[in-house]
Amino acid sequence: VQLVESGGGSVQDGGSLRLSCVAPGYMIRSSCMGIFRQAPGKEREGVSATDGDGRTSYADSVKGRFTISQDKAKNTLFLQMNSLKPEYTAMYYCAAHFVCFRPPPLHPSHYNAWGQGTQVTVS
């Protein structure tokens, strides 16, 4: 399964970015899909996740700042990130699994398909 992330970059404190993850159509429509991040020297952590029916989960640190969404016609998952902070600097990954729960899980161990990552730097 191929997941392709894009949209990372360097922004100033308080700025915004929108990450995109292109996935196969059957996966966007019916799978658990999530965005994770890993900073140097730290474990990978869940940021946000969604299922094929629009249910969402967010890490406490990003609630009210980030919004996850899907464009099923474009087979794309989006993460709109606003009010970015330097501590959000990390490599961001898209992941998927055909089985989902309510709410969509944020633990990386649930997911078995991963993209290559896109770097987000906030300074």
Side-chain angles (χ1 to χ4, degrees):
V1 174
Q2 186 174 15
L3 304 176
V4 181
E5 302 100 330
S6 62
S10 296
V11 297
Q12 292 187 338
D13 191 354
S16 297
L17 286 172
R18 187 174 78 158
L19 303 185
S20 299
C21 172
V22 178
Y26 63 86
M27 184 161 283
I28 287 284
R29 288 189 295 273
S30 60
S31 299
C32 219
M33 296 198 69
I35 301 291
F36 298 80
R37 65 187 178 195
Q38 188 166 18
K42 295 187 176 181
E43 293 187 353
R44 191 168 297 187
E45 63 175 358
V47 175
S48 183
T50 185
D51 63 14
D53 295 322
R55 297 177 184 88
T56 60
S57 298
Y58 294 94
D60 288 343
S61 61
V62 305
K63 285 181 180 177
R65 298 174 183 264
F66 292 7
T67 303
I68 195 167
S69 62
Q70 296 171 311
D71 185 334
K72 295 181 180 180
K74 296 182 179 179
N75 297 336
T76 304
L77 179 75
F78 297 104
L79 184 69
Q80 178 65 44
M81 306 188 295
N82 298 328
S83 302
L84 286 163
K85 300 191 290 185
E87 52 261 48
Y88 295 165
T89 293
M91 186 71 79
Y92 283 67
Y93 298 89
C94 179
H97 194 290
F98 288 118
V99 176
C100 208
F101 303 107
R102 299 179 184 180
L106 288 175
H107 201 286
S109 64
H110 174 75
Y111 295 82
N112 61 359
W114 291 85
Q116 83 288 351
T118 185
Q119 178 68 36
V120 171
T121 302
V122 186
S123 59

